[in-house]
Amino acid sequence: MMAAVKTILLVEDNANDVELTLAALQDSNVSNAVDVARDGAEALDYLHRRGPWSGRTSEAPVVVLLDLKMPKVDGLEVLREMKATPALRHVPVVMLTSSREESDLVRSYALGANAYVVKPVDFQKFFESVQQLGVFWALINEPAPAATPNPEEKP
Amino acid sequence: MPAPIRPWIIRGSLFLALVALICIVLFAVFTARAMREAFGWVDHTREVQKELAQTNLALADAAALARGYQLSGDTSFLELFEPSLDRVATGLAELRRLTTDNPNQQGRLAEIDPKFQDLAARYRRRVEDRRAGVPAAYIEREKRLRDEIRQLTAAMADEETRLLEGRVRRAEGESDRAVWTTTGAVAAALALAGTAVWRLRHAWVARTQAQEAMERALQESRDLYNHAPCGYHSLDASGRFVQINDTELRWLGYQREEVVGKMRFSELLTPEGRRTFEEAFPRFRETGEVRDLEFDLVRRDGSRFRVSLSASAQRDAAGAYVSSRSTMFDVTARRSAESRVQEMNGELTHRAELLEAANQELEAFSYSVSHDLRAPLRHIDGFAGLLSKRAGESLDATGRRYVETIAEASRRMGRLIDDLLLFSRTGRTAMHHERFPAEALVREVLAELKEEMANRPIEWVISPLPEVSADRSLLRQVWVNLLANAVKYTRPRNPARIEVGATTDEGRGEQVFHVRDNGVGFEMAYVDKLFGVFQRLHRADEFEGTGIGLANVRRIVLRHGGRTWAESQPGEGATFFFTLPLTSSSSPFAPA
């Protein structure tokens, strides 16, 4: 059973947010390993298994918790590329961000985000939100089989 | 006002007068002929009477000669005897001729003739008898014959006299009638001619008056022409001035004598103006009209001024261009005003752009600041939470209070930032107008506020509210803020009373909504601060809040084209008003 447990990918440039998110997930029932990418470029390397992550052997993550605003490549670009890549398009992506800006919401969903969560300022609420996310996506949600064919192949 | 001139009356009168004159002439001719005839008869009568007298005389001569020879035997008497008898015969023949048309006279002559023959025979016998020596005897019979002849000739003379008198009387009657008729005809002719003359005089007076009126009108037109606030001129086919008004002369600085018949309009143009003209002229020739052609004219002193010219072409019967009439306005002042307006518009646009840019920058700034501030706040609260979670047990009460205060302060700042973000967003989000009943929205908001009103004695008075046209979610924020405020600031009241109502101000074309409470109220001195961002009239430990709610209300109402204000007395409660345009289909405060 343990070998089948997939990782959670957290894409977050802010070290404090990384630590708080990890603390929240640790405190929950979610036992999945959490890999952290510190910006969009690293996240794409991780997902494509290249650069520092070329030796990664784990399966595609069970969920990607994706921050919006990051240096180099931002969250929306990571999302766009994931949804354009057949091997990654079924990986659930949760936008986890400080922005409640309507345009960010609209663009995220337009690019195929599976969920959009605004990080609450309140510690307790933040903790609860992250834990619920972890539980839902890692435990409750049934991921797509690894070899799911693409319904419409892009020409 | 002279009577209208009717030419047919004059013509008719003159015609009738002419007819009368012709009648007079005909009558005169006729009368003259009748008179001449009458006078002819007088001559005739005289001739007849003369002939009668001479015949009688000749007969008397014959009688006397015959008697003289008888008495004396002197043959010298006989020399004239036979001629006298011949003379009588000739006289009788002449009389017969003269009176052929009168049977009475002819009858008498027929009576006379045998008597004369008889008498002449007796006179000859007497001469023969004397020659033969027979004694002469005066025979009674001769005397009787002579008397009878005398009577007959006297009757003839009488008849002629009588006839003459009748004829003269008739001629006189005719002459009288001619005189009367002529007099009448002359009078009629005079009357008709008089009528015509009177009519003509009348017409002449009317014409004179009309001429005077025309003269006055012409004078007035000339005055208007010359003193009009615009320039007028007429040009002949070669473009030479035929006429020009004072105004245009004044503008140009020329005297009329220098211009009319001497100058061409083209001499007043600048090279540029000449080009404008040459471009417009073919069309002018074709359509016969040009409107609002703008160009510069050169004054006598060389300075220039801008005019707007409209002209129409006059053509002859064959359609050939003969002359033009132009009206023009000095548009220098208008032009400078226009350019000034344009300049100001440009400046305004520039300023609006600057303002827009500054506004956008400010929005972007507040957005990013809010975002960037949220992260560290979350971290403060998060790590304070982690700290109390991990080390809570080892901290004393003061330490735990400190951690709690850190967390509380960061949460409060979080709320401020959230509100600020919301405020920033209400100014930027696109508006979606729809029509819906305001009352339903108010009820909806009240249901939402139920939690805050739990266990509060609040008396709600909600009057019927109209349908509005607005962005529903934005207007919802307005009601949430106003009703939550009313609930909040009536907290010390038991019971609290909150009224919601609306009126229509047709004059200003708006619906006025109000929320009236019997809460703590505020001092009107601070009313201006009420709707400002982060402006509060109460301490946070009295009434919680960030001071952004009413600022948001104002911003939303402004975006809908409405107004906001409030009235209050401390301790007496407050009333908040906002308006929406009656037809708020579009708002002047559309988002950038």
Side-chain angles (χ1 to χ4, degrees):
Chain A
M1 227 16 224
M2 286 299 287
V5 172
K6 293 188 194 175
T7 54
I8 293 171
L9 176 62
L10 173 65
V11 188
E12 173 65 68
D13 64 317
N14 189 297
N16 289 334
D17 273 325
V18 170
E19 194 172 346
L20 286 171
T21 308
L22 287 177
L25 286 173
Q26 264 166 28
D27 218 35
S28 70
N29 297 332
V30 179
S31 56
N32 304 53
V34 180
D35 286 331
V36 177
R38 299 300 303 273
D39 59 47
E42 196 183 339
L44 290 174
D45 283 348
Y46 177 94
L47 290 165
H48 287 302
R49 292 192 176 87
R50 62 191 186 199
W53 296 93
S54 54
R56 184 172 71 85
T57 54
S58 57
E59 282 184 58
V62 68
V63 65
V64 177
L65 303 177
L66 186 57
D67 190 17
L68 257 182
K69 291 190 171 48
M70 291 180 296
K72 297 188 194 169
V73 180
D74 72 12
L76 289 172
E77 279 178 72
V78 173
L79 176 64
R80 184 185 298 116
E81 180 152 349
M82 280 181 72
K83 295 301 174 187
T85 306
L88 298 172
R89 65 185 306 165
H90 298 295
V91 177
V93 178
V94 174
M95 306 308 290
L96 190 62
T97 172
S98 311
S99 172
R100 197 179 271 130
E101 208 44 30
E102 195 178 300
S103 62
D104 288 339
L105 265 159
V106 169
R107 277 192 292 171
S108 296
Y109 279 116
L111 288 171
N114 301 78
Y116 192 102
V117 176
V118 178
K119 297 172 190 167
V121 170
D122 188 292
F123 166 71
Q124 206 56 47
K125 286 182 188 160
F126 177 76
F127 241 60
E128 283 164 15
S129 300
V130 171
Q131 285 173 353
Q132 281 168 11
L133 271 177
V135 168
F136 177 80
W137 289 107
L139 302 180
I140 299 173
N141 187 50
E142 198 65 50
T148 304
N150 293 297
E152 68 249 39
E153 203 70 52
K154 285 201 172 175
Chain B
M1 183 79 194
I5 301 152
R6 279 178 239 125
W8 61 269
I9 289 186
I10 296 167
R11 265 202 302 276
S13 303
L14 286 173
F15 176 75
L16 287 176
L18 189 68
V19 168
L21 283 172
I22 289 167
C23 288
I24 292 163
V25 168
L26 289 176
F27 230 89
V29 168
F30 177 75
T31 310
R33 190 174 295 159
M35 298 284 273
R36 197 160 60 237
E37 214 170 293
F39 288 128
W41 282 113
V42 172
D43 285 347
H44 176 264
T45 304
R46 281 214 190 99
E47 220 171 319
V48 170
Q49 284 178 337
K50 193 177 116 197
E51 205 57 49
L52 282 170
Q54 279 179 356
T55 303
N56 270 328
L57 202 63
L59 192 58
D61 278 351
L65 286 170
R67 214 165 32 243
Y69 175 66
Q70 193 186 18
L71 289 176
S72 65
D74 186 353
T75 54
S76 65
F77 283 105
L78 294 179
E79 276 170 36
L80 286 173
F81 173 68
E82 274 304 323
S84 290
L85 284 179
D86 285 349
R87 175 69 191 84
V88 173
T90 321
L92 286 175
E94 182 64 19
L95 282 170
R96 210 172 286 117
R97 188 186 60 81
L98 283 171
T99 61
T100 39
D101 59 334
N102 190 328
N104 288 340
Q105 300 289 59
Q106 289 287 325
R108 285 194 189 95
L109 282 172
E111 264 183 76
I112 288 170
D113 218 34
K115 292 188 198 299
F116 166 66
Q117 295 300 338
D118 191 3
L119 195 59
R122 285 175 193 275
Y123 286 154
R124 281 194 189 100
R125 204 161 49 239
R126 201 191 276 238
V127 171
E128 290 306 314
D129 285 350
R130 174 65 178 94
R131 243 185 223 143
V134 180
Y138 189 76
I139 296 162
E140 193 57 31
R141 176 91 182 138
E142 279 178 32
K143 189 180 174 334
R144 201 164 43 84
L145 279 171
R146 283 272 329 259
D147 285 345
E148 280 169 6
I149 289 172
R150 208 173 283 132
Q151 276 165 10
L152 281 169
T153 54
M156 276 184 79
D158 280 352
E159 168 121 10
E160 282 304 315
T161 305
R162 207 161 29 78
L163 280 173
L164 180 65
E165 275 170 3
R167 280 177 186 134
V168 166
R169 239 193 331 276
R170 219 165 35 247
E172 270 171 4
E174 250 153 41
S175 159
D176 278 359
R177 205 161 54 245
V179 166
W180 285 116
T181 312
T182 308
T183 306
V186 165
L190 279 176
L192 289 166
T195 305
V197 166
W198 185 78
R199 287 278 169 189
L200 274 172
R201 209 189 99 78
H202 189 70
W204 183 76
V205 167
R207 175 172 295 197
T208 310
Q209 281 172 350
Q211 209 157 1
E212 279 168 8
M214 203 167 78
E215 202 81 28
R216 275 198 302 278
L218 204 66
Q219 186 59 42
E220 201 175 308
S221 302
R222 200 175 295 132
D223 194 54
L224 289 172
Y225 177 82
N226 274 326
H227 298 108
C230 51
Y232 290 128
H233 66 245
S234 306
L235 307 177
D236 63 16
S238 69
R240 216 180 283 276
F241 280 97
V242 176
Q243 212 180 350
I244 181 169
N245 77 339
D246 287 357
T247 309
E248 192 171 327
L249 281 171
R250 200 176 62 243
W251 287 349
L252 292 166
Y254 285 100
Q255 298 296 311
R256 183 167 273 109
E257 309 81 69
E258 300 174 284
V259 175
V260 173
K262 290 181 184 139
M263 284 180 78
R264 281 174 211 276
F265 187 66
S266 55
E267 293 170 48
L268 299 167
L269 293 169
T270 61
E272 189 200 342
R274 199 164 292 138
R275 266 199 302 282
T276 307
F277 235 74
E278 277 161 10
E279 278 166 26
F281 198 70
R283 211 164 53 81
F284 174 62
R285 275 209 117 129
E286 192 189 314
T287 63
E289 199 177 65
V290 66
R291 294 221 154 268
D292 306 323
L293 195 65
E294 272 199 27
F295 50 88
D296 284 339
L297 283 183
V298 185
R299 291 194 185 89
R300 191 191 184 154
D301 63 11
S303 62
R304 295 173 175 197
F305 66 111
R306 190 85 176 166
V307 295
S308 168
L309 177 138
S310 298
S312 60
Q314 273 68 53
R315 299 177 198 277
D316 61 15
Y321 171 71
V322 178
S323 62
S324 70
R325 277 204 284 267
S326 306
T327 308
M328 62 187 189
F329 292 94
D330 184 345
V331 293
T332 317
R334 195 182 77 197
R335 275 261 297 186
S336 73
E338 269 171 9
S339 69
R340 175 113 188 80
V341 165
Q342 218 158 14
E343 209 173 280
M344 281 164 79
N345 268 342
E347 200 172 313
L348 270 179
T349 310
H350 180 60
R351 280 192 193 180
E353 279 165 5
L354 284 180
L355 203 63
E356 186 56 39
N359 205 32
Q360 269 177 4
E361 210 170 293
L362 203 64
E363 296 286 0
F365 175 75
S366 68
Y367 170 69
S368 80
V369 161
S370 308
H371 267 291
D372 293 351
L373 285 178
R374 275 165 68 91
L377 272 178
R378 200 169 54 247
H379 301 151
I380 293 167
D381 192 48
F383 285 100
L386 281 179
L387 181 60
S388 76
K389 218 174 165 82
R390 293 289 156 86
E393 301 303 314
S394 56
L395 286 174
D396 61 3
T398 311
R400 278 199 296 276
R401 193 171 60 79
Y402 288 167
V403 173
E404 190 47 46
T405 307
I406 291 169
E408 176 52 38
S410 65
R411 279 195 290 272
R412 178 165 166 70
M413 191 164 174
R415 279 196 299 278
L416 281 171
I417 289 166
D418 281 348
D419 283 355
L420 192 60
L421 267 177
L422 183 72
F423 181 68
S424 152
R425 212 163 33 236
T426 57
R428 288 178 297 137
T429 50
M431 300 223 298
H432 305 286
H433 273 273
E434 55 181 311
R435 286 198 77 82
F436 57 91
E439 205 169 326
L441 184 61
V442 168
R443 303 262 175 214
E444 203 178 295
V445 170
L446 278 181
E448 210 173 279
L449 294 173
K450 222 167 206 151
E451 206 178 314
E452 289 166 52
M453 301 186 296
N455 307 320
R456 284 277 310 282
I458 300 175
E459 192 187 311
W460 289 95
V461 181
I462 299 174
S463 308
L465 300 176
E467 199 169 66
V468 294
S469 170
D471 183 302
R472 204 173 202 280
S473 69
L474 286 177
L475 202 64
R476 179 193 184 85
Q477 287 185 46
V478 170
W479 285 112
V480 166
N481 279 301
L482 291 179
L483 296 175
N485 268 1
V487 169
K488 192 199 294 179
Y489 292 101
T490 53
R491 205 180 289 145
R493 298 288 180 265
N494 189 359
R497 184 186 159 85
I498 301 171
E499 289 172 35
V500 179
T503 54
T504 300
D505 187 340
E506 292 282 354
R508 296 183 67 125
E510 56 190 18
Q511 285 163 335
V512 186
F513 297 89
H514 69 261
V515 176
R516 181 172 294 124
D517 64 54
N518 63 343
V520 298
F522 58 88
E523 283 182 53
M524 284 301 277
Y526 304 116
V527 73
D528 290 341
K529 291 193 168 183
L530 211 56
F531 291 95
V533 180
F534 294 142
Q535 297 281 352
R536 300 213 62 214
L537 300 184
H538 299 277
R539 287 201 316 274
D541 53 1
E542 286 178 318
F543 292 101
E544 73 287 352
T546 54
I548 206 94
L550 287 177
N552 231 349
V553 166
R554 168 160 286 182
R555 187 170 238 193
I556 291 167
V557 171
L558 273 177
R559 283 194 67 188
H560 280 86
R563 304 174 294 132
T564 54
W565 71 97
E567 289 165 4
S568 177
Q569 266 187 315
E572 299 282 305
T575 309
F576 287 83
F577 298 91
F578 75 92
T579 70
L580 290 177
L582 273 173
T583 50
S584 66
S585 52
S586 67
S587 163
F589 296 89

